[in-house]
Amino acid sequence: MKKIKIALLGFGNVGRALAQLLLEKREVLQKRYQIDWTVVGIATGRHGSVVNPAGVDLSEALSLAVADKEISSLAPNDTDIDGVAFVRMSGADVLFENTPVNYQTGQPAIDYIATALGMGMHVITANKGPVVHAFDRLVELAQTNGVRFFHESTVMDGAPIFSLWQEVLPAAKLHSFRGVLNSTSNLILTLMEAGKSFDEALAHAQAIGIAETDPSGDIMGWDAAVKVSALVTALMGIPLTPDKVDRKGIEDISLEAVIKARDVGLRWKLICQAWREGEGVEASVGPVQIDPNDSLYNVMGTSSAVTFVSDVLGDLTITETNPGPHTTAYGLLADFIRAVR
Amino acid sequence: MKKIKIALLGFGNVGRALAQLLLEKREVLQKRYQIDWTVVGIATGRHGSVVNPAGVDLSEALSLAVADKEISSLAPNDTDIDGVAFVRMSGADVLFENTPVNYQTGQPAIDYIATALGMGMHVITANKGPVVHAFDRLVELAQTNGVRFFHESTVMDGAPIFSLWQEVLPAAKLHSFRGVLNSTSNLILTLMEAGKSFDEALAHAQAIGIAETDPSGDIMGWDAAVKVSALVTALMGIPLTPDKVDRKGIEDISLEAVIKARDVGLRWKLICQAWREGEGVEASVGPVQIDPNDSLYNVMGTSSAVTFVSDVLGDLTITETNPGPHTTAYGLLADFIRAVR
């Protein structure tokens, strides 16, 4: 049995869903993969942090955070430290980094991750920032230290995208991809097709916790552009930052335009794509009217899909429906098993 | 650099496409995976066989077979032996078993594979028969001998289905699946929707090499039932033979029925599904009218798709378009890399 010490940096919706899943799958991990885990540290954004080499009671920490209480009451000594210090103190074998995304620079998460990798910890993250702003550096740092840097949950939640190419599509060359990758904008377009105004649709997306209070990252296509950048960088081997993506959001798509398209059997989708051009790559995000024969036509609500074109397979499409924090958490768990088994 | 000795048992469309792909990807295998290969034996159905420990010229063998000539001229001594003797003589590290499928018993391929595994060879196959008729025995034999028995290309050609669950969806429990898995019947239904009669559609499927001369295995749902059995056996851990699948083919679907469905916006599909019931499983194959919101509605022509429902992800759908011997060959190559790296 491998005993793995885990540190959780970030304990919001995703971090808590991961905690829940770790508890649910404890027995399967032990029996099927001979992996046992202890949480040695948790750092939250609003409920303090705790480090304990003897182990933190994860159920108790979950209960406290859900009840909006400080988790630092669980530690022998209270800890009120920044992320880098937390990583250093934790003594973990694996860091789960799930702090809020910074689209512009990827910081401070890059520093957290680099610190952990440099200390010989595997790092698993759902944070897109470090992938698009420091991918090569972090992968190299992981290799140098004999550990893994995995980020399955950064695109399409827990659906296997990165691991698909890394593990089960060897010796393949990805020529291009095309997909619907932003849940908020797709949900808004779906609701508008049912007759809701843009503002009503956005309010609904916010009410169910899909869209942020400031939804501009989704609406203006930044989240989609970051995901395109992450896929290009990791799967095509060409570093690409979001500002290099030809980007347009759904902010100018009116209810009239959506209804007009619907009435002739078409649908507006925020289409994400990238394709090789010579030694480089072109990438775009923008609203497109697609017809019912398009493989993305039935991607509705918060669902996502991506079609890959490679030198060895016909078009291969991966579609996920009904994602949420629990599916993002599963991507993190799958990465964890992949890293330590 | 690992030097791997390969034996090819079966040299029809798939075996030849694999040979072509091995040649095309030789450099990538060397550079990216430090794998080099030598073919030490080829056994064909109609063009003799050859065994040579010093290596067989694969390009030359391909040219001979394509020109409908005997390949045994390549060997120092002609060999006219059965499959088991070929496996024994080959001295290979990896056997690619691609002989014709036997839906009823899986033989003689099971004997070929068991012989190879028993001698410590990895076995890669596109043959569904052994998977549904001897899965547990062959997997156990592989484990006992410290080798792998892989069969990615038995369902949905080279699209990653088995490897997906084995490698990148760890600790997940598959509850059910639903898909379109037989290319011939789907192509026939697609052509009938365009107004062709059943016989015209079948003739076309035969002309392009998708349907067999005796197409009853496809038309009556046996091929689909075998694929359902393979998925249930390997992914749900419940051995299931095709005769236990509640099976109906497309033989009774008339052109009138297809057109009538089309005119009200529906489509006939041969739907394959399986779901857990208590400790067991129920499985069925049969024609169903589906509507445009169904994720399988846009699976046209020879394309395939399957939606998986598990305890950890929302519905996850894998769709492949434009399959053929080259994509089946890629599944074999991917298995090969997975087995030896």
Side-chain angles (χ1 to χ4, degrees):
Chain A
M1 189 76 72
K2 288 184 193 168
K3 299 269 191 182
I4 311 290
K5 285 174 284 181
I6 290 174
L8 303 173
L9 177 48
F11 208 54
N13 286 340
V14 168
R16 292 176 203 177
L18 171 65
Q20 192 63 50
L21 188 61
L22 280 167
L23 291 165
E24 283 168 21
K25 291 287 184 181
R26 169 157 245 161
E27 209 177 305
V28 171
L29 292 186
Q30 291 171 343
K31 286 197 180 155
R32 206 179 300 169
Y33 304 100
Q34 289 75 52
I35 296 171
D36 197 11
W37 53 262
T38 314
V39 172
V40 293
I42 305 174
T44 74
R46 296 185 298 110
H47 301 101
S49 64
V50 53
V51 173
N52 189 344
V56 176
D57 185 329
L58 188 55
S59 304
E60 190 62 24
L62 256 181
S63 305
L64 287 169
V66 170
D68 209 13
K69 292 182 181 158
E70 291 285 313
I71 65 163
S72 38
S73 61
L74 292 171
N77 298 302
D78 287 10
T79 47
D80 186 15
I81 50 178
D82 81 352
V84 168
F86 170 80
V87 171
R88 289 220 176 96
M89 274 184 66
S90 71
D93 303 309
V94 176
L95 174 71
F96 285 100
E97 194 287 318
N98 292 308
T99 63
V101 62
N102 176 333
Y103 289 132
Q104 278 69 47
T105 68
Q107 287 292 15
I110 294 171
D111 288 344
Y112 304 156
I113 294 173
T115 302
L117 294 172
M119 293 179 71
M121 303 179 195
H122 299 293
V123 177
I124 319 288
T125 188
N127 192 335
K128 292 174 281 284
V131 175
V132 296
H133 290 290
F135 186 75
D136 283 354
R137 184 184 145 212
L138 295 174
V139 167
E140 205 182 301
L141 198 53
Q143 280 168 351
T144 307
N145 288 279
V147 291
R148 315 301 295 263
F149 168 54
F150 286 154
H151 46 80
E152 185 57 84
S153 294
T154 54
V155 176
M156 284 179 65
D157 314 278
I161 303 296
F162 296 103
S163 56
L164 188 83
W165 285 87
Q166 288 161 356
E167 305 289 338
V168 303
L169 296 177
K173 183 169 186 178
L174 178 58
H175 289 319
S176 65
F177 64 84
R178 178 172 176 275
V180 168
L181 298 174
N182 179 261
S183 289
T184 297
S185 56
N186 201 54
L187 176 60
I188 289 174
L189 292 173
T190 298
L191 293 171
M192 287 169 77
E193 196 177 315
K196 285 205 190 324
S197 71
F198 182 93
D199 289 341
E200 286 168 343
L202 173 58
H204 178 81
Q206 287 171 322
I208 65 169
I210 298 289
E212 307 283 332
T213 314
D214 172 6
S216 58
D218 290 325
I219 304 302
M220 297 178 67
W222 278 112
D223 176 76
V226 168
K227 286 171 174 162
V228 167
S229 298
L231 291 174
V232 167
T233 301
L235 303 185
M236 291 178 158
I238 303 172
L240 183 76
T241 48
D243 55 301
K244 296 291 189 297
V245 176
D246 180 11
R247 178 191 48 79
K248 194 165 164 29
I250 62 163
E251 65 272 24
D252 295 335
I253 307 297
S254 66
L255 178 58
E256 290 66 38
V258 171
I259 299 300
K260 200 170 154 188
R262 184 193 69 186
D263 290 347
V264 293
L266 301 176
R267 242 169 218 167
W268 284 97
K269 293 283 171 197
L270 186 66
I271 300 292
C272 302
Q273 47 192 336
W275 59 99
R276 291 182 191 273
E277 284 275 356
E279 296 299 299
V281 68
E282 297 288 324
S284 70
V285 167
V288 177
Q289 289 184 72
I290 63 174
D291 69 51
N293 293 316
D294 194 301
S295 61
L296 301 174
Y297 186 79
N298 275 340
V299 181
M300 300 297 277
T302 58
S303 299
S304 302
V306 61
T307 298
F308 294 110
V309 180
S310 67
D311 65 338
V312 286
L313 286 175
D315 293 7
L316 182 71
T317 304
I318 315 290
T319 309
E320 64 154 3
T321 58
N322 304 319
H326 62 291
T327 55
T328 303
Y330 175 69
L332 295 164
L333 182 77
D335 276 350
F336 171 63
I337 297 171
R338 219 159 44 102
V340 305
R341 82 176 176 193
Chain B
M1 188 76 72
K2 288 182 193 169
K3 299 269 190 183
I4 310 290
K5 286 175 282 181
I6 289 174
L8 303 174
L9 176 48
F11 207 55
N13 285 339
V14 167
R16 292 176 203 178
L18 171 65
Q20 192 63 50
L21 189 61
L22 280 167
L23 291 165
E24 282 168 21
K25 291 288 184 182
R26 169 158 244 161
E27 209 176 305
V28 171
L29 292 186
Q30 291 170 342
K31 285 196 180 158
R32 206 179 299 170
Y33 304 100
Q34 290 74 54
I35 296 171
D36 198 10
W37 53 262
T38 313
V39 172
V40 293
I42 306 175
T44 74
R46 296 186 298 111
H47 301 100
S49 65
V50 52
V51 172
N52 189 343
V56 176
D57 185 330
L58 188 55
S59 305
E60 190 62 26
L62 256 182
S63 304
L64 288 169
V66 170
D68 209 15
K69 291 182 181 157
E70 290 285 313
I71 66 163
S72 39
S73 61
L74 290 171
N77 297 301
D78 287 9
T79 47
D80 185 15
I81 50 178
D82 81 352
V84 168
F86 170 80
V87 170
R88 289 220 176 95
M89 275 183 66
S90 71
D93 303 310
V94 176
L95 174 72
F96 286 101
E97 195 286 319
N98 292 309
T99 64
V101 62
N102 175 332
Y103 289 131
Q104 278 70 47
T105 69
Q107 287 292 14
I110 294 171
D111 288 344
Y112 304 156
I113 293 173
T115 302
L117 294 172
M119 293 179 71
M121 302 178 194
H122 299 294
V123 176
I124 319 288
T125 188
N127 192 334
K128 292 174 280 283
V131 174
V132 295
H133 290 290
F135 186 76
D136 282 354
R137 184 184 145 213
L138 295 174
V139 167
E140 205 180 302
L141 198 52
Q143 279 169 350
T144 307
N145 288 278
V147 290
R148 314 301 295 264
F149 168 55
F150 285 154
H151 46 81
E152 185 57 84
S153 293
T154 55
V155 176
M156 284 179 66
D157 313 279
I161 304 295
F162 296 103
S163 56
L164 187 83
W165 285 88
Q166 287 160 357
E167 306 289 338
V168 304
L169 295 177
K173 182 168 187 178
L174 178 58
H175 288 319
S176 65
F177 64 84
R178 178 172 176 274
V180 168
L181 297 174
N182 178 260
S183 288
T184 296
S185 56
N186 202 54
L187 176 59
I188 289 174
L189 292 173
T190 297
L191 293 171
M192 287 170 77
E193 197 176 315
K196 285 206 190 323
S197 72
F198 182 93
D199 290 341
E200 286 169 343
L202 174 57
H204 178 80
Q206 287 171 323
I208 64 169
I210 297 288
E212 307 283 333
T213 314
D214 173 6
S216 59
D218 291 325
I219 304 303
M220 297 179 66
W222 278 112
D223 176 76
V226 167
K227 286 170 174 164
V228 168
S229 299
L231 291 174
V232 168
T233 302
L235 303 185
M236 291 179 158
I238 303 173
L240 183 75
T241 47
D243 56 300
K244 296 291 188 300
V245 176
D246 179 12
R247 179 191 47 78
K248 194 167 164 30
I250 61 163
E251 65 273 23
D252 295 335
I253 306 297
S254 65
L255 179 58
E256 290 66 38
V258 171
I259 299 300
K260 200 171 155 188
R262 184 193 69 187
D263 290 348
V264 294
L266 301 176
R267 242 169 218 168
W268 284 97
K269 293 284 172 196
L270 186 66
I271 301 291
C272 303
Q273 48 191 336
W275 59 97
R276 291 183 191 272
E277 284 276 357
E279 295 301 298
V281 69
E282 297 288 324
S284 70
V285 168
V288 177
Q289 290 184 72
I290 63 174
D291 69 51
N293 293 316
D294 194 302
S295 61
L296 301 175
Y297 186 78
N298 276 339
V299 181
M300 300 297 277
T302 58
S303 299
S304 303
V306 61
T307 298
F308 294 110
V309 180
S310 66
D311 65 337
V312 286
L313 287 175
D315 292 8
L316 182 71
T317 304
I318 314 291
T319 308
E320 63 153 4
T321 59
N322 304 319
H326 62 291
T327 55
T328 303
Y330 175 69
L332 295 166
L333 182 78
D335 276 349
F336 171 64
I337 298 170
R338 225 165 31 109
V340 306
R341 84 176 177 191

